[in-house]
Amino acid sequence: MSPEITIVIPMYNEEDCLEATLQVVRSEAEKVTDSFEILCIDDGSTDRTPELLRQASAVDARVIPVELSRNFGKEAALAAGLDFAQGDAVVILDADLQHPAHLLTDMVAAWRAGADVVNGVKHSRGREGRIYGLLAKTFNALMGGATRNGDFRGASDFKLLDRQVVDAIRACPERHRFFRGLVAWVGFRTEDIPFHVQERAAGDTKWSKRALVRYSLRNLLSFSALPLRLIAVAGFSTLVLAAMMAGWTLFRYLRGDSLSGFPTVILLQLMLGGLLLTSLGVISLYLAEMFEELKRRPVYLYRAPRTSDRRADADTE
Ligand code: UDP
Ligand code: MG
């Protein structure tokens, strides 16, 4: 029989957090339902995460480990979570307890009262650098425009989704997935619950600065064709400008004014060159995204447990 609630936790090298997190999540879940599963997606961890997960699931069958074949990134781990989840509602939660698990009660209550999506919204952003905060704000503002649905300020992956929302998201065929964006895009009856971002329970953030910038850029590209449209606007404006300058030049020629303007020529060359190269660059970015999508490779690969795993666990105990 399928459980009422599935709690999906993506995990990448979380051996320091894992046990405490499972403990907290389990006790919070027991408060709201007697039918739940905790789906732990091991995103190709290289530490003892998979082993600890197997041990936890041997003790408590409600803990279900899903092992990916390598590190595919948090988005892929979330996609795997939605695919494997059986519950009527799915709650997504970080493994480091930065998303307060005690809000589970409120989220489930809101769902039972009729909400299809319950968003955890960051009320305070916890400890973040100023530049990081500013970049995050810019990204969220752009993203809000791109999905045409709402407000990404304070958006987080801490969410509860009803079964039909999960199925709607799983039906989105794109390979490049941006969970928050997809949830905003599918719509449904949405409710927000504010929360304060906690300190990471243990270990370090799994994101490098470079990975974050790449992630933001690709998400914007996958949700918005605005940069492409801007190229068209820039091209057309240049044409209008050129026509005006041609008119002006002809006018001066007919009046017999001599034309001086070597710097103008150079400047125009540079401007046009810059414009052309930038446009080409933007088009290339989209082309690269399309190339990735076209290959239609799976978003993640699942590694089925083998008997040798259990033997290895027994050896370490
Ligand atoms: N995570 C993952 N795969 C990755 C990176 C992160 O599954 O490649 C998980 C990680 O284990 C954690 C969540 O995604 O549960 C959020 O990661 P983290 O806390 O490092 O990010 P931050 O909170 O700093 O944004
Ligand atoms: Mg975190």
Side-chain angles (χ1 to χ4, degrees):
M1 214 190 74
S2 63
E4 186 187 17
I5 291 171
T6 300
I7 297 152
V8 169
I9 314 182
M11 294 183 171
Y12 177 50
N13 292 345
E14 299 285 8
E15 61 179 4
D16 299 331
C17 297
L18 196 146
E19 269 154 1
T21 303
L22 285 181
Q23 199 64 45
V24 172
V25 171
R26 187 185 294 126
S27 74
E28 292 299 330
E30 275 167 356
K31 285 185 201 163
V32 288
T33 178
D34 45 18
S35 160
F36 67 90
E37 60 179 0
I38 306 178
L39 201 58
C40 301
I41 313 296
D42 165 30
D43 184 17
S45 298
T46 49
D47 64 356
R48 293 177 60 232
T49 302
E51 201 180 312
L52 294 176
L53 279 179
R54 279 195 295 272
Q55 284 167 16
S57 112
V59 176
D60 181 350
R62 293 172 301 186
V63 176
I64 301 172
V66 171
E67 205 177 311
L68 304 189
S69 68
R70 65 167 167 86
N71 180 238
F72 281 92
K74 183 180 179 186
E75 289 293 339
L78 291 182
L82 295 189
D83 287 348
F84 280 84
Q86 305 261 329
D88 303 328
V90 177
V91 178
I92 291 99
L93 189 85
D94 274 3
D96 52 10
L97 292 178
Q98 283 192 298
H99 298 157
H102 65 85
L103 285 182
L104 212 66
T105 318
D106 296 350
M107 286 184 141
V108 172
W111 170 64
R112 286 189 179 136
D116 301 316
V117 177
V118 186
N119 286 315
V121 176
K122 292 180 192 167
H123 205 58
S124 72
R125 302 193 55 105
R127 265 220 317 237
E128 268 177 4
R130 214 182 264 163
I131 296 180
Y132 179 90
L134 194 73
L135 284 176
K137 255 191 213 143
T138 316
F139 170 72
N140 287 332
L142 288 171
M143 236 10 247
T147 50
R148 287 197 188 84
N149 189 356
D151 193 350
F152 274 76
R153 272 171 302 167
S156 76
D157 289 337
F158 183 30
K159 292 181 190 303
L160 177 147
L161 308 177
D162 180 71
R163 171 50 48 191
Q164 55 178 330
V165 180
V166 172
D167 291 339
I169 291 175
R170 289 181 61 210
C172 293
E174 63 251 63
R175 311 283 101 182
H176 174 74
R177 307 190 73 83
F178 177 46
F179 178 65
R180 263 173 261 174
L182 286 175
V183 173
W185 185 86
V186 296
F188 290 94
R189 270 160 71 175
T190 301
E191 210 165 292
D192 290 346
I193 288 188
F195 74 94
H196 293 279
V197 178
Q198 312 292 308
E199 291 286 316
R200 205 173 210 290
D204 272 325
T205 176
K206 304 293 181 274
W207 293 86
S208 68
K209 299 242 164 20
R210 238 183 85 196
L212 269 177
V213 170
R214 241 178 76 99
Y215 175 73
S216 314
L217 192 67
R218 293 196 57 197
N219 288 333
L220 277 174
L221 291 180
S222 75
F223 270 89
S224 170
L226 186 69
L228 284 175
R229 299 213 175 88
L230 285 182
I231 295 182
V233 173
F236 187 70
S237 316
T238 316
L239 204 67
V240 172
L241 201 72
M244 276 160 48
M245 284 188 71
W248 177 237
T249 311
L250 190 69
F251 175 69
R252 284 184 56 169
Y253 175 74
L254 292 177
R255 273 201 353 193
D257 280 355
S258 67
L259 278 176
S260 71
F262 186 63
T264 320
V265 173
I266 302 249
L267 266 180
L268 280 179
Q269 287 273 9
L270 284 176
M271 263 171 59
L272 278 180
L275 192 68
L276 281 176
L277 283 178
T278 313
S279 311
L280 207 60
V282 172
I283 295 172
S284 315
L285 286 176
Y286 279 93
L287 202 65
E289 286 302 308
M290 287 171 65
F291 176 60
E292 291 297 329
E293 289 287 326
L294 259 180
K295 287 193 270 190
R296 310 217 60 77
R297 291 208 180 128
V299 177
Y300 62 86
L301 289 172
Y302 163 65
R303 178 187 180 276
R306 295 169 47 175
T307 40
S308 56
D309 295 338
R310 254 165 265 139
R311 228 176 297 129
D313 290 347
D315 288 347
T316 54
E317 266 163 24

